[in-house]
Amino acid sequence: MEQTFVILKPSTISRSLVGDIIERYQRKGLLIAGIKMMRLDEEILRVHYAHLVDRPFFPLILDSMMATPVIVMVLEGNDAVEVVRTMTGATNGRKAAPGTIRGDFSMSGQENIVHASDSVGNARIEIERFFRPEEIFSYSLVTQSALYAPDELCPPPRGFARTHRSNQQENLHSPTLHSRP
Ligand code: ADP
């Protein structure tokens, strides 16, 4: 399954919104594969926000991101990068759509609650930047079979391919689709 990288920014920590934000990801069905608290320094922020270092507001970003420790997370699920970006909303909290995290919790272009990777490639790079391999855990949610259809699970449940094929041949949608051989 796909993994993405999230930072709960100092605006989340200092406003005591950690539980509210994590609850949203969990309610959506994303699995927390990694989570830890850390302080960011200028060195890592210059790399992480390399596309913004020349902007006049970059010193404000540095101050903002170093104001408190942050919580970094690896979230996992099908299409996790796109799902989490959609949940995040537009950069400016005042313009972010209601229902998104920024739309519901932020009034600012800078203090916008979370960072979320914007592509699968960047997610991979950002996860490696912030996590050691042993800090990322592989496990399944017991709710997985209710979160996804069998053909969305990877690998599909044992016996799924065989029963699915035979059901297709018979043009049936039988409950045996889910049963083990
Ligand atoms: P996003 O976080 O939505 O991917 P960017 O990568 O463009 O957006 O910006 C990174 C972060 O820099 C933003 O989340 C925000 O905290 C800050 N930022 C971006 N643009 C501005 C701005 N014009 N003024 C102040 N802070 C900004």
Side-chain angles (χ1 to χ4, degrees):
M1 284 213 188
E2 194 168 282
Q3 292 184 333
T4 192
F5 173 73
V6 163
I7 304 176
L8 306 189
K9 295 184 178 186
S11 45
T12 301
I13 311 299
S14 49
R15 289 173 56 197
S16 304
L17 291 174
V18 170
D20 295 86
I21 306 305
I22 292 178
E23 185 192 15
R24 287 201 171 207
Y25 296 131
Q26 293 199 296
R27 272 201 333 226
K28 179 71 175 169
L30 291 153
L31 176 151
I32 299 172
I35 183 165
K36 63 180 178 181
M37 193 172 222
M38 64 189 293
R39 271 194 188 279
L40 303 181
D41 60 20
E42 182 166 342
E43 190 183 344
I44 202 165
L45 286 166
R46 282 189 169 275
V47 177
H48 185 67
Y49 286 132
H51 59 296
L52 296 174
V53 286
D54 295 328
R55 305 296 288 273
F57 52 82
F58 188 69
L60 294 175
I61 294 182
L62 286 180
D63 287 347
S64 163
M65 293 298 290
M66 295 192 295
T68 69
V70 298
I71 290 173
V72 290
M73 301 175 73
V74 177
L75 297 176
E76 190 175 292
N78 280 10
D79 302 321
V81 172
E82 187 185 352
V83 166
V84 173
R85 274 299 275 198
T86 303
M87 291 175 75
T88 300
T91 303
N92 187 331
R94 293 191 298 280
K95 296 182 179 162
T100 64
I101 289 171
R102 287 169 173 170
D104 288 353
F105 291 100
S106 167
M107 283 289 286
S108 168
Q110 182 179 284
E111 304 302 336
N112 57 6
I113 306 293
V114 289
H115 162 83
S117 304
D118 63 3
S119 68
V120 173
N122 279 340
R124 228 172 271 135
I125 292 167
E126 292 174 355
I127 289 167
E128 277 181 27
R129 179 177 300 143
F130 288 90
F131 281 88
R132 294 194 302 272
E134 65 270 24
E135 294 174 325
I136 298 171
F137 297 87
S138 182
Y139 63 97
S140 300
L141 297 173
V142 290
T143 53
Q144 198 173 35
S145 64
L147 282 167
Y148 293 102
D151 62 350
E152 293 172 317
L153 290 171
C154 182
R158 256 182 80 209
F160 169 72
R162 189 168 57 77
T163 49
H164 184 59
R165 258 198 310 278
S166 63
N167 287 342
Q168 276 183 331
Q169 278 159 10
E170 294 162 30
N171 199 19
L172 288 174
H173 294 283
S174 130
T176 59
L177 186 68
H178 303 269
S179 68
R180 287 174 175 230

